[in-house]
């Protein structure tokens, strides 16, 4: 019998705590598959965020550090500078990366820190129960924007890839939506590219993944995917924002 | 051995390199800026890492990452910067990561000024960040001791897997004194088998973490930390007693303040007042034993600080109400003269 589908070596044989229909589980799998395919499990160190993925260190089968809220890029900088021949990645949500940790991500990118960032944008704070995030869409209802996000009161959504693309440091910046098989494959392709750029010593790489949070959006999983496809992509257009000149994805 | 004349901040930096500090992460602030400047020059030459972070918050989190990766790492700052580092210090203690943190204190609160002070004593010895934790706090009184204690700081950090603070004031950082960099036999230290270096053939991944969602486990973790802190209290308290043999009165002071207080003690001795000086070298663990050894003949204690009265609380806790404890402090960057302290010594004798 031929095995056609199995758990990646770089994922622990354990159940995750993520809600049904959440994107985090899928994205974990993609990262683990990439680590396996590149054969770097033994020299990879991951940094887990504060947010729904706080327990990522229980799921990845590689060395992991758990960082304070938003500080993962600084922690990753410390690891990478101490051990430059290892592979270091952070896994961060939008609250973590685009609110409390804005300074850390911008400066890690500006230094072209040779790390890879997996950025999960679900337009909300998942873990704390659905508050407004910097990526919450105009008009989107959350626990702390109960009448819909009003830009007069709460400002506008932050587009992280576009913002970082103004810097010279980042070597690879791409956004993809986690909505169907084609895009899931594309997400994996981007993640692989991001790790390859680090392995080649080129510098900072980040992949932003538009991901559903059915629980806090108050939607059925299938509707949540439609909402990513129909609403989120309008504000956060998918695509490659920066890549090394010779590279194609 | 060769004696060299060096500024406190620079001597400290050189000692850190010699003690095996592999990475330094910092953010500029007066009066400690010569320290990162020295390391920016010297670290790359010697194959080490110097990085100026975007903030103190980032710097301490870089320390967290590098400490977790198993290398010797240091950061330095001054009072307002250390306040920003408190988030990271709590996480470092929670995750039991060894590192050295230098605070060359200035006047506060708030932006305060850039003159010397000792008003971060509470913050250093009581925590400052959230949760039940302790950091070892070393308080040098000369440039030579600044150098010597850096080696100890790295060893103690590795020994106990805990951050160690070096608490100096602006004068110590800025003053020039002759120093000798004594090569010391390395202390036997436990291997860093817990470090996240990549699995590198290891069966199980290593995890650096301070999250325990199960309250039973978190309480157990806290109890383990407390057992460690207790061991440190028993083994690592350090102090010096000067002019103490026949003393009936004692001045208690640390750091640069102890140097000035010692001059005052000498003045009092000239007038036949039997006074000695207790100089704590570790501020946590606090050297309570120093007080036990003299309490039977002590008539009173006078605490002198560059603050409105912080260490005096530890003196009172050590004396336990058995004899009076007086306090004299200057603040805001003002430094007492030996004459001022001498007057306070006479008052202490008059009162009791
Ligand atoms: C310093 C600090 N502030 C606030 C929190 C509370 N907190 C935990 S998770 C979170 C939001 C995380 O949201 P996001 O990064 O978008 O990740 P998600 O949960 O959506 O995956 C917040 C505010 C914290 N743990 N630490
Ligand atoms: S709350 Fe949202 S982001 Fe968090 S696990 Fe559930 S679906 Fe995923």
């Amino acid at each position: 019998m031929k095995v056609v589908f199995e758990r990646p070596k770089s994922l622990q044989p354990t159940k995750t705590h993520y809600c049904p229909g959440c994107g985090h589980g899928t994205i974990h799998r993609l990262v683990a598959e990439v680590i396996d395919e590149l054969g770097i499990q033994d020299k990879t160190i991951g940094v887990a965020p504060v947010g729904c993925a706080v327990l990522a260190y229980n799921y990845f089968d590689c060395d992991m550090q758990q960082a304070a809220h938003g500080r993962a890029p600084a922690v990753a900088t410390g690891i990478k500078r101490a051990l430059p021949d290892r592979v270091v990645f952070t896994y961060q949500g939008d609250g973590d990366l685009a609110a409390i940790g804005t300074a850390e991500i911008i400066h890690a990118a500006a230094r072209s820190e040779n790390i890879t960032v997996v950025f999960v944008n679900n337009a909300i704070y998942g873990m704390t129960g659905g508050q407004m995030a910097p990526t919450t869409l105009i008009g989107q209802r959350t626990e702390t924007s109960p009448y819909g996000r009003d830009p007069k009161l709460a400002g506008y959504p932050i587009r992280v890839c576009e913002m970082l693309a103004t810097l010279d440091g980042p070597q690879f910046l791409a956004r993809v939506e986690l909505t169907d098989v084609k895009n899931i494959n594309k997400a994996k392709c981007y993640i692989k590219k991001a790790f390859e750029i680090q392995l080649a010593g080129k510098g900072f790489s980040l992949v932003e993944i538009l991901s559903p949070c059915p629980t806090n959006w108050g939607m059925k999983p299938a509707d949540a995917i439609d909402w990513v496809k129909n609403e989120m992509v309008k504000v956060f257009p998918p695509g490659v924002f920066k890549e090394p000149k010779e590279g194609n994805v | 051995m060769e004696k060299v004349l060096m500024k406190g901040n620079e001597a400290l930096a050189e000692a850190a390199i010699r003690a095996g500090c592999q990475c330094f992460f910092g953010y500029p602030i007066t009066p400690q800026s010569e320290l990162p400047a020295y390391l920016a020059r010297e670290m790359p030459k010697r194959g080490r890492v110097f990085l100026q972070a975007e903030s103190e918050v980032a710097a301490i989190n870089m320390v967290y990452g590098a400490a977790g990766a198993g290398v010797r790492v240091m950061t330095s700052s001054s009072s307002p910067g250390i306040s920003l580092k408190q988030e990271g210090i709590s996480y470092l203690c929670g995750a039991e990561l060894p590192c050295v943190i230098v605070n060359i204190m200035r006047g506060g609160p708030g932006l305060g000024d850039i003159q010397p002070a000792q008003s971060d004593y509470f913050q250093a010895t009581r925590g400052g960040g959230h949760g039940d934790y302790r950091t070892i706090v070393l308080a040098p009184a000369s440039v030579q001791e600044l150098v010597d204690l850096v080696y100890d700081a790295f060893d103690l950090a590795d020994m106990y897997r805990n951050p160690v603070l070096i608490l100096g004031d602006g004068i110590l950082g800025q003053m020039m004194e002759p120093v000798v960099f004594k090569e010391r036999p390395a202390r036997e230290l436990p291997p860093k088998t817990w470090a996240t270096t990549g699995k590198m053939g290891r069966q199980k991944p290593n995890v650096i973490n301070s999250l325990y969602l199960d309250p039973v486990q978190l309480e157990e973790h806290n109890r383990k930390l407390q057992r460690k802190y207790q061991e440190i209290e028993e083994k690592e308290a350090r102090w010096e007693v000067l002019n103490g043999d026949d003393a009936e009165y004692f001045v208690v002071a640390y750091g640069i303040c102890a140097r000035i207080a010692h001059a005052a003690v000498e003045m009092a001795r000239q007038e036949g007042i039997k006074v000695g000086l207790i100089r704590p070298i570790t501020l946590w663990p606090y050297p309570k034993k120093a007080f036990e050894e003299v309490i039977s003949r002590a008539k009173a204690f006078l605490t002198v600080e560059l603050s409105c009265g912080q260490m005096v609380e530890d003196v009172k806790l050590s004396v336990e109400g058995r004899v009076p404890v007086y306090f004299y402090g200057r603040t805001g960057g003002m430094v007492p003269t030996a004459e001022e302290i001498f007057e306070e010594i006479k008052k202490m004798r008059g009162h009791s």
Side-chain angles (χ1 to χ4, degrees):
Chain A
M1 212 167 32
K2 189 167 171 267
V3 178
V4 291
F5 195 74
E6 61 182 339
R7 185 174 39 78
K9 254 188 4 186
S10 299
L11 269 193
Q12 299 279 4
T14 181
K15 285 186 189 148
T16 69
H17 68 286
Y18 300 116
C19 309
C22 175
H24 277 307
T26 311
I27 300 165
H28 278 24
R29 187 185 165 97
L30 298 181
V31 173
E33 283 178 1
V34 165
I35 292 173
D36 283 3
E37 284 170 23
L38 295 172
I40 53 172
Q41 184 187 10
D42 247 18
K43 61 170 183 172
T44 295
I45 303 153
V47 183
V50 168
C52 280
V54 68
L55 296 176
Y57 55 81
N58 283 337
Y59 306 146
F60 287 110
D61 189 352
C62 64
D63 279 5
M64 294 287 292
Q65 291 197 16
Q66 203 290 310
H69 197 27
R71 316 296 176 224
V75 170
T77 299
I79 302 170
K80 189 72 183 190
R81 296 287 176 130
L83 303 170
D85 61 344
R86 306 300 203 274
V87 179
V88 180
F89 75 93
T90 72
Y91 187 102
Q92 302 179 257
D94 44 72
D96 190 81
L97 181 143
I100 191 169
T102 325
E104 284 78 5
I105 195 66
I106 289 179
H107 288 274
R111 287 192 302 268
S112 203
E113 211 59 60
N114 194 25
I115 59 171
T116 298
V117 176
V118 179
F119 170 37
V120 182
N121 179 355
N122 57 17
I124 208 157
Y125 286 17
M127 192 198 213
T128 38
Q131 295 84 2
M132 190 185 72
T135 46
T136 292
L137 307 193
I138 299 297
Q140 186 185 338
R141 284 171 196 269
T142 72
E143 288 288 317
T144 48
S145 56
Y147 310 111
R149 183 178 187 165
D150 176 356
K152 284 206 214 77
L153 292 172
Y156 296 85
I158 292 179
R159 293 186 189 89
V160 169
C161 279
E162 287 85 339
M163 187 170 72
L164 295 182
T166 66
L167 302 170
D168 294 331
Q171 298 305 305
F172 183 68
L173 297 169
R175 182 186 292 130
V176 57
E177 76 268 36
L178 202 69
T179 46
D180 49 32
V181 175
K182 189 177 117 237
N183 279 302
I184 289 171
N185 285 338
K186 195 186 251 180
K188 181 174 166 186
C189 175
Y190 286 165
I191 294 169
K192 194 164 184 178
K193 177 83 185 170
F195 274 91
E196 281 168 350
I197 281 169
Q198 180 182 169
L199 284 166
K202 288 188 181 150
F204 185 86
S205 56
L206 175 146
V207 180
E208 173 173 346
I209 301 163
L210 307 180
S211 170
C213 175
T215 304
N216 284 305
W217 296 352
M219 291 179 199
K220 290 184 190 136
D223 296 341
I225 286 178
D226 284 343
W227 196 78
V228 174
K229 213 176 342 194
N230 301 326
E231 302 301 326
M232 270 187 92
V233 295
K234 282 193 220 154
V235 182
F236 302 110
V240 175
F241 295 84
K242 210 151 190 197
E243 62 185 318
K245 290 210 173 52
E246 73 280 22
N248 296 313
V249 179
Chain B
M1 235 172 301
E2 204 198 344
K3 246 189 193 172
V4 286
L5 188 67
M6 274 181 107
K7 211 174 197 181
N9 283 331
E10 297 190 334
L12 202 166
E14 176 61 30
I17 297 176
R18 289 176 188 238
C21 178
Q22 193 62 34
C23 297
F24 176 90
F25 304 101
Y27 186 80
I29 186 168
T30 313
Q32 61 81 58
S33 290
E34 297 84 1
L35 196 163
Y38 187 93
L39 291 174
R41 278 198 310 274
E42 294 300 321
M43 292 288 262
K45 279 193 225 163
R46 303 193 219 178
R48 318 283 178 93
V49 175
F50 168 88
L51 183 62
Q52 180 170 318
E54 62 271 28
S55 67
E56 287 86 353
V57 178
I60 195 73
N61 281 283
M62 290 172 186
V63 167
Y64 180 100
V71 305
R72 283 194 157 180
V73 53
M74 182 170 94
T75 186
S76 71
S77 193
S78 181
S79 310
I82 296 292
S83 293
L84 280 172
K85 288 187 204 281
Q86 294 301 332
E87 174 198 66
I89 295 173
S90 167
Y91 276 78
L92 283 155
C93 287
E96 293 193 85
L97 292 177
C99 65
V100 175
I101 300 158
V102 178
N103 182 1
I104 301 296
M105 291 177 281
R106 59 190 248 180
L111 203 46
D113 62 16
I114 57 169
Q115 307 304 324
Q118 295 180 323
S119 45
D120 304 346
Y121 182 94
F122 282 155
Q123 186 193 51
T125 61
R126 265 56 177 173
H130 59 285
D132 278 315
Y133 74 84
R134 296 287 190 171
T135 49
I136 297 172
V137 184
L138 305 176
S142 66
V143 177
Q144 182 64 57
E145 202 179 19
L146 211 51
V147 162
D148 295 341
L149 287 182
V150 169
Y151 300 95
D152 287 314
F154 279 104
D155 282 356
L156 287 166
D158 284 344
M159 187 80 184
Y160 293 103
R161 283 187 63 179
N162 210 68
V164 175
L165 256 68
I166 296 178
L167 199 66
D169 62 83
I171 300 180
L172 266 180
Q174 296 298 323
M175 74 199 286
M176 284 184 99
E177 283 191 317
V179 286
V180 177
F181 293 91
K182 298 169 211 157
E183 299 303 327
R184 296 198 321 184
R187 193 165 162 169
E188 184 107 25
L189 294 167
K192 296 183 174 179
T193 50
W194 45 264
T196 54
T197 54
K199 283 170 72 178
M200 306 306 262
R202 213 186 313 114
Q203 203 55 34
K204 279 183 127 181
N206 280 346
V207 174
I208 303 291
N209 182 28
S210 64
L211 178 70
Y212 295 83
L213 285 173
D214 176 355
V216 175
Q217 278 184 21
L218 181 55
E219 185 170 57
E220 184 39 50
H221 177 58
N222 268 298
R223 291 205 191 291
K224 183 183 147 218
L225 290 179
Q226 294 302 321
R227 285 194 294 276
K228 173 169 88 176
Y229 300 149
Q230 205 178 339
E231 186 188 342
I232 296 172
E233 285 201 85
E234 280 157 19
K235 291 187 183 161
E236 305 296 348
R238 295 186 201 185
W239 69 93
E240 183 183 41
V241 181
L242 297 165
N243 300 71
D245 287 347
D246 61 343
E248 295 172 344
Y249 297 93
F250 289 89
V251 178
V252 191
Y254 70 95
I256 199 69
C257 216
R259 300 263 294 264
I260 306 165
H262 190 221
V265 164
E266 296 282 356
M267 287 161 92
R269 283 272 166 187
Q270 299 275 319
E271 299 215 351
I273 305 173
K274 287 185 178 173
V275 57
L277 175 76
I278 295 177
R279 180 174 77 87
I281 297 171
T282 52
L283 299 179
W284 193 87
Y286 199 71
K288 290 196 174 136
K289 261 202 201 128
F291 295 84
E292 286 312 313
E293 285 173 7
V294 301
I295 196 76
S296 57
R297 60 191 157 89
K299 291 188 174 151
F301 294 85
L302 168 68
T303 312
V304 183
E305 298 177 63
L306 306 184
S307 85
C308 297
Q310 300 193 11
M311 183 180 76
V312 64
E313 293 195 1
D314 277 330
V315 175
K316 285 182 180 166
L317 284 169
S318 304
V319 169
E320 292 181 322
R322 287 171 286 185
V323 293
V325 174
Y326 301 102
F327 172 73
Y328 182 68
R330 296 298 302 268
T331 178
M334 297 299 292
V335 178
T337 60
E339 287 76 13
E340 260 171 84
I341 300 173
F342 177 38
E343 285 307 312
E344 296 299 316
I345 293 171
K346 284 196 280 194
K347 272 194 227 163
M348 157 166 68
R349 197 175 60 155
H351 285 311
S352 44

